[in-house]
Amino acid sequence: TAGITQAPTSQILAAGRSMTLRCTQDMRHNAMYWYRQDLGLGLRLIHYSNTAGTTGKGEVPDGYSVSRANTDDFPLTLASAVPSQTSVYFCASMKVAGQGATGELFFGEGSRLTVL
Amino acid sequence: AQKITQTQPGMFVQEKEAVTLDCTYDTSDPSYGLFWYKQPSSGEMIFLIYQGSYDQQNATEGRYSLNFQKARKSANLVISASQLGDSAMYFCAMKSYGQNFVFGPGTRLSVLP
């Protein structure tokens, strides 16, 4: 079982360029999340989606947008990248009530983005 | 506001010894879950253990146990019989109903041979 697939695994991007990080899950989880991981700060929530067709802002949403057209896909877009967006990005999903909820987050393997 | 605190940026432990990683949390919600994740140098996030706020007994999963002290709002992870493969970053996290997950800054554990 693939679980959550993220692409690309690594990317170098010039400042001012746009970029979409892809995230696909095959577990039919309702909730999906995007986090960024920075040293000493742990994981911070960028955007989330509790179900297909809905999205919400997390702790650090500025400069990022998401869409949730279907259950499986949750892409994260940087419209105009800046160096402070250099980070490791994790996509995650979670079972919710009605799917045998455990509350556990399932993570993708991460996407390392460097903005120069 | 919900918050997770991990006061140990780095920890060392001798192989085969036990180690406790500290985690304190802050929430006003009566119902919540506490989680520990392991992140080895390869980067993936691995779920280790879960404790519900109403659980009467401390959670255990193999060599991992969670020392849950509700009144103190602490959820320390205890790893028994440390192995070299336990060297990693460890994150404590919390989730309340209707809220998103909150993660601590992490503790880097190094197991010495």
Side-chain angles (χ1 to χ4, degrees):
Chain A
T1 302
I4 296 181
T5 302
Q6 290 185 232
T9 56
S10 181
Q11 182 75 44
I12 299 174
L13 187 67
R17 300 297 294 269
S18 66
M19 174 75 190
T20 294
L21 302 179
R22 301 183 297 278
C23 175
T24 299
Q25 54 115 348
D26 63 1
M27 297 175 285
R28 307 300 292 173
H29 288 171
N30 280 349
M32 296 188 74
Y33 309 85
W34 273 106
Y35 291 89
R36 60 176 291 172
Q37 181 181 13
D38 303 289
L39 189 63
L41 298 176
L43 281 79
R44 293 182 293 167
L45 182 64
I46 305 171
H47 285 287
Y48 65 93
S49 169
N50 288 328
T51 188
T54 69
T55 62
K57 295 181 179 180
E59 182 184 354
V60 288
D62 294 344
Y64 305 95
S65 64
V66 291
S67 61
R68 187 86 185 278
N70 56 62
T71 297
D72 298 342
D73 300 301
F74 191 43
L76 176 74
T77 297
L78 291 68
S80 179
V82 295
S84 61
Q85 292 178 308
T86 293
S87 188
V88 178
Y89 292 85
F90 284 96
C91 181
S93 71
M94 188 184 74
K95 293 178 180 179
V96 294
Q99 293 180 300
T102 64
E104 172 192 346
L105 275 178
F106 292 80
F107 285 88
E109 295 191 351
S111 296
R112 182 175 296 276
L113 179 65
T114 302
V115 182
L116 301 176
Chain B
Q2 301 188 328
K3 185 177 180 181
I4 294 283
T5 301
Q6 294 179 255
T7 58
Q8 306 153 314
M11 288 280 288
F12 291 90
V13 64
Q14 206 70 36
E15 191 178 9
K16 300 181 183 178
E17 297 291 317
V19 62
T20 297
L21 306 184
D22 294 341
C23 172
T24 58
Y25 59 93
D26 189 18
T27 182
S28 57
D29 293 324
S31 178
Y32 51 89
L34 296 157
F35 304 79
W36 278 92
Y37 285 84
K38 172 185 178 180
Q39 186 180 41
S41 58
S42 51
E44 71 269 30
M45 295 288 287
I46 302 169
F47 167 71
L48 294 179
I49 196 166
Y50 164 81
Q51 178 86 42
S53 60
Y54 292 118
D55 293 343
Q56 295 297 313
Q57 293 187 325
N58 287 344
T60 60
E61 288 287 348
R63 294 185 299 110
Y64 304 110
S65 60
L66 201 153
N67 184 3
F68 181 46
Q69 298 187 43
K70 194 170 183 177
R72 295 186 177 183
K73 292 189 175 180
S74 75
N76 299 339
L77 177 70
V78 180
I79 305 175
S80 63
S82 297
Q83 301 172 355
L84 296 178
D86 294 334
S87 293
M89 281 290 288
Y90 289 82
F91 293 97
C92 180
M94 174 176 64
K95 186 181 187 316
S96 302
Y97 181 79
Q99 303 286 332
N100 289 311
F101 277 82
V102 175
F103 284 82
T107 295
R108 181 171 296 282
L109 177 67
S110 298
V111 180
L112 305 175

